[in-house]
Amino acid sequence: MRKITFEINAFEQFNYWANTDKKILKKILLLLKDTQKISLLD
């Protein structure tokens, strides 16, 4: 499994959603998980 890295701005936005809206955070986490699955197929 590949390591996920964030640009500083993206990490700040990730933290914002983590503290503000758990529903959006869950969607972001699902997208990250799907992205990792796709990268494993390459």
Side-chain angles (χ1 to χ4, degrees):
M1 188 175 291
R2 292 184 182 185
K3 183 177 176 181
I4 297 174
T5 57
F6 287 93
E7 295 283 331
I8 290 175
N9 188 34
F11 188 68
E12 289 171 354
Q13 290 176 3
F14 179 83
N15 282 330
Y16 169 80
W17 290 115
N19 294 316
T20 305
D21 191 335
K22 300 298 181 191
K23 187 175 178 181
I24 297 292
L25 177 64
K26 186 174 180 178
K27 290 181 181 182
I28 293 169
L29 292 173
L30 287 173
L31 286 170
L32 291 171
K33 191 180 230 184
D34 285 347
T35 301
Q36 285 192 316
K37 288 178 189 176
I38 292 169
S39 68
L40 290 175
L41 296 174
D42 291 339

